[in-house]
Amino acid sequence: MKIPTIKFGKHALLALGIVPLLVFQSCLTGGGDRGGGKPDTYVNRGHFTFSSPVSGAYLSLDSSLSVAWTNRDTLPATYVNIYLYRNDTLVVLLTSFTPNDGAQLVTLLGRAGSGTGYRVKIVNTADTSDWDYSGLFTLYSSYTGSIAITSPAAGASAAIATTLAIGWSVIGDIGPYGVGIQLYKGSVLAATITSSAYGTTYSWYVTAPLGSGSDYRIKVYSYSDPSLYAMSQNFTINTGYSGTLTVTSPGAGAAWQAGNSTTITWTYTGTPGTAVILQLYRDTALVSTIVNGATTSTGSYTLTVPAVATSSFYRIKIISYYDAGIFSFSPLFTITGITPDAYEPDNQRGGAKTIADSTTQQRTLAYLDSDWVQINTAAGRKYLAGIQSAVTLYAYLTDSNGAYITSYSGTNFQVPINPSYVGRYYLRIQWYSTGAGYQGSYALTLRGYDATQSSFPVTFSSPDTSSVWAAGSGYTIAWTPDSVFYGAYVNLLLYRDTVLVQTIATGTTNDGSQLVTLPAGLATAGNYRIRIVNYYDPQIYGYSSNFTISGMLPDAYEPDNVRGSAKPIADSTTQSRSLTYLDSDWVQINTAPGRRYLAGI
């Protein structure tokens, strides 16, 4: 096979701002589609474009996987998550919150097995609707050995809190890093026993996280290539308890009223243990644990019916405290409580309904309820989410991944949302805890604003648009106090457009009046303004109208506070410059061959 020579034009690349990067990745040659699995029919969504791995690549598990991509969004992600999928099934999160710099090396050893149909998925952490897949590729290893489990044997029995010998044999080479061992109950992974065992035996202290049963199995797999594995035959784990538990009340069609007292009753056979757990379910979803350790022989437990959402799909689950495999459900029954609002279910971020700009939603919080609300932000906008309720509620603002940003609480309060990206944000609204607490209604309002304007406007009588203040002189700032949003204490600052010029006062009383002496030497301009800020919450702020300060006239070479904006001075010329308040002058000097210079100031 002839290897083509590739020449890089360094200067052409650097002129484009591109740093040449050579990625050397282990691969095999060969024809045909190496991707395997289902056909590679995925259509790029336009957010990320992959240059590595390429469709049909044949890559070694022992090598680092080179992931290279280009972000094609107008507003690119700052960080991304990178996942490995096999067709449509998630295999592993390769790396999280990695910089969106277009290149990442990730380790595959111990994280994926050999096989076809693999692909990489990149997701924008700031907006998880921005994602794309690579093409399909194949992972291979140099290991072709096999594993056989020698113990436990089919039908074996192990008692809880004893030691079970797990044994296996190996034929051929399965890799140098030993094996991992997992416990399954049926097809469900019950526990990872160890991820690193060497030799051919392992002593396991027996636990039964899913309760006693005769359908447990052991899986032993190669750490180097998890596609090389063996499953034992079914064996039994005994907890020493047996028998049945049956709920006798509530019966089929029973009706409970929120706030009333009622009694759960049950019977048992055999020896299920001396204590039981009682749980309330709504269909297949756990609502709450009613009691964790009621006396089995009593056969009854009295409770006050919680103010859950009204439904006819409730049922009671009774479980042995000592053996989770001994349990049963009551028939379905009805609880009349809080009428669910139009936005339920919203206890999880994935079920959040949106609230549109400039709308109000009437919502309810049922027992153990928490509301997730999706807010879709737009370019050039910021928002206020207002909440009104009879009792104190808490609101948590998160990004599109559910990562915490800030929180507020009260009975009538506002949550300012100043988006750092265009896309989805979420509010989680609840009583002060997720335990039994507030049940009732509240109003949620969303108002959007021009991002250049304040969400919390304050009326200033001085200065106003007609004010002309002289640099170096003293004046009175006057405003109408807003104690609801701004509280008892505020900060006052002098801005020129969006640039801070001077901190006037920190933690001053929000009484509507403040004396200020302007610095001498301020540049004359008509775009000064006063900024007022809540002392305890910098997200709550407002501005006065623009006004004029009469001071020094800026020279012809402004702005020059940064080197990048420096104006040149020609040879044999003089410039008349001025230094205003907080000013610094950068001057560019272009030298010529055979010359030296004197700069006179």
Side-chain angles (χ1 to χ4, degrees):
M1 176 181 178
K2 183 177 180 181
I3 306 298
T5 300
I6 302 173
K7 295 182 179 180
F8 293 91
K10 181 184 72 172
H11 296 293
L13 287 171
L14 294 179
L16 292 172
I18 301 171
V19 179
L21 173 65
L22 177 62
V23 177
F24 194 7
Q25 181 170 289
S26 172
C27 65
L28 296 182
T29 60
D33 180 7
R34 297 285 190 175
K38 66 180 183 181
D40 196 355
T41 58
Y42 169 71
V43 177
N44 185 269
R45 302 174 70 243
H47 300 293
F48 300 94
T49 299
F50 287 84
S51 56
S52 177
V54 297
S55 181
Y58 201 57
L59 309 174
S60 171
L61 279 173
D62 289 329
S63 299
S64 293
L65 173 64
S66 171
V67 183
W69 69 92
T70 302
N71 189 319
R72 295 172 57 189
D73 284 348
T74 304
L75 294 173
T78 303
Y79 298 99
V80 296
N81 292 340
I82 303 177
Y83 302 86
L84 180 66
Y85 274 73
R86 191 165 188 185
N87 294 319
D88 294 323
T89 302
L90 174 64
V91 177
V92 67
L93 170 63
L94 293 170
T95 182
S96 61
F97 283 88
T98 191
N100 181 33
D101 55 10
Q104 183 73 28
L105 284 176
V106 292
T107 300
L108 296 176
L109 185 65
R111 308 172 79 183
S114 58
T116 61
Y118 283 101
R119 54 182 176 170
V120 169
K121 182 179 183 181
I122 291 184
V123 181
N124 179 349
T125 61
D127 186 349
T128 53
S129 66
D130 294 349
W131 56 266
D132 266 299
Y133 281 114
S134 72
L136 295 171
F137 57 91
T138 294
L139 295 176
Y140 75 91
S141 77
S142 58
Y143 311 113
T144 58
S146 62
I147 301 170
I149 295 179
T150 57
S151 64
S157 181
I160 199 82
T162 62
T163 299
L164 174 68
I166 300 172
W168 62 94
S169 62
V170 174
I171 299 175
D173 185 7
I174 64 167
Y177 300 109
V179 299
I181 305 175
Q182 294 174 327
L183 176 69
Y184 277 76
K185 190 174 193 296
S187 60
V188 177
L189 176 64
T192 294
I193 295 172
T194 180
S195 59
S196 180
Y198 292 86
T200 57
T201 61
Y202 184 85
S203 294
W204 173 49
Y205 185 77
V206 178
T207 61
L210 299 181
S212 59
S214 59
D215 57 346
Y216 280 100
R217 296 188 296 166
I218 294 294
K219 178 180 180 179
V220 177
Y221 62 91
S222 164
Y223 183 86
S224 301
D225 184 353
S227 68
L228 305 176
Y229 70 90
M231 299 288 292
S232 75
Q233 296 295 315
N234 285 353
F235 70 99
T236 298
I237 295 180
N238 291 316
T239 63
Y241 298 94
S242 63
T244 64
L245 293 165
T246 303
V247 176
T248 54
S249 178
W256 287 2
Q257 178 68 48
N260 289 351
S261 178
T262 192
T263 299
I264 300 170
T265 62
W266 64 91
T267 60
Y268 69 94
T269 64
T271 55
T274 58
V276 294
I277 301 167
L278 297 175
Q279 295 177 329
L280 176 65
Y281 273 72
R282 183 175 176 181
D283 201 359
T284 59
L286 174 65
V287 176
S288 66
T289 295
I290 298 169
V291 61
N292 191 3
T295 304
T296 304
S297 59
T298 302
S300 66
Y301 183 82
T302 300
L303 74 155
T304 299
V305 181
V308 293
T310 298
S311 173
S312 298
F313 292 94
Y314 288 103
R315 52 183 181 164
I316 298 297
K317 182 179 182 181
I318 185 169
I319 313 163
S320 166
Y321 184 85
Y322 304 96
D323 186 340
I326 303 174
F327 69 91
S328 70
F329 283 95
S330 74
L332 293 175
F333 65 97
T334 298
I335 296 180
T336 302
I338 299 292
T339 301
D341 57 40
Y343 312 101
E344 297 283 356
D346 52 8
N347 280 338
Q348 295 182 342
R349 182 165 54 91
K353 304 296 192 297
T354 58
I355 181 170
D357 191 356
S358 304
T359 61
T360 297
Q361 294 177 349
Q362 298 297 325
R363 288 176 165 258
T364 59
L365 282 172
Y367 178 73
L368 297 176
D369 194 14
S370 62
D371 279 2
W372 283 91
V373 185
Q374 180 177 321
I375 298 168
N376 297 323
T377 63
R381 301 282 282 174
K382 57 187 176 183
Y383 303 83
L384 269 182
I387 297 173
Q388 289 183 304
S389 69
V391 299
T392 299
L393 296 181
Y394 285 69
Y396 301 85
L397 179 65
T398 80
D399 66 14
S400 60
N401 286 323
Y404 172 85
I405 296 175
T406 188
S407 62
Y408 290 81
S409 63
T411 57
N412 184 3
F413 62 99
Q414 309 287 326
V415 179
I417 304 168
N418 299 315
S420 60
Y421 59 88
V422 174
R424 289 173 293 170
Y425 287 79
Y426 292 95
L427 278 176
R428 189 180 85 244
I429 302 168
Q430 63 183 61
W431 200 52
Y432 79 90
S433 75
T434 56
Y438 174 67
Q439 300 98 35
S441 62
Y442 68 95
L444 172 65
T445 301
L446 184 68
R447 291 181 291 162
Y449 294 83
D450 185 327
T452 62
Q453 305 299 318
S454 172
S455 301
F456 302 91
V458 175
T459 301
F460 284 83
S461 57
S462 176
D464 58 23
T465 54
S466 63
S467 298
V468 180
W469 290 2
S473 300
Y475 296 90
T476 297
I477 301 170
W479 69 94
T480 302
D482 181 351
S483 60
V484 174
F485 291 135
Y486 285 86
Y489 302 98
V490 294
N491 300 336
L492 294 167
L493 309 101
L494 175 65
Y495 271 70
R496 183 176 176 185
D497 198 7
T498 60
V499 178
L500 174 64
V501 176
Q502 178 194 20
T503 297
I504 297 169
T506 300
T508 189
T509 304
N510 185 19
D511 58 5
S513 180
Q514 177 68 38
L515 294 175
V516 58
T517 299
L518 299 178
L522 287 173
T524 297
N527 61 345
Y528 289 96
R529 55 183 179 165
I530 302 298
R531 175 172 170 142
I532 185 170
V533 184
N534 182 311
Y535 178 74
Y536 297 102
D537 189 346
Q539 293 196 80
I540 299 177
Y541 60 88
Y543 287 100
S544 71
S545 302
N546 284 345
F547 68 100
T548 299
I549 292 181
S550 176
M552 295 179 63
L553 289 176
D555 57 42
Y557 310 101
E558 298 282 356
D560 53 6
N561 280 339
V562 293
R563 182 166 57 88
S565 61
K567 304 296 191 298
I569 183 170
D571 192 358
S572 303
T573 61
T574 298
Q575 294 177 347
S576 294
R577 288 174 168 261
S578 62
L579 281 172
T580 57
Y581 181 72
L582 296 180
D583 192 16
S584 62
D585 280 1
W586 283 88
V587 185
Q588 179 180 322
I589 300 169
N590 299 320
T591 62
R595 302 280 285 173
R596 57 184 178 181
Y597 302 83
L598 273 179
I601 299 174

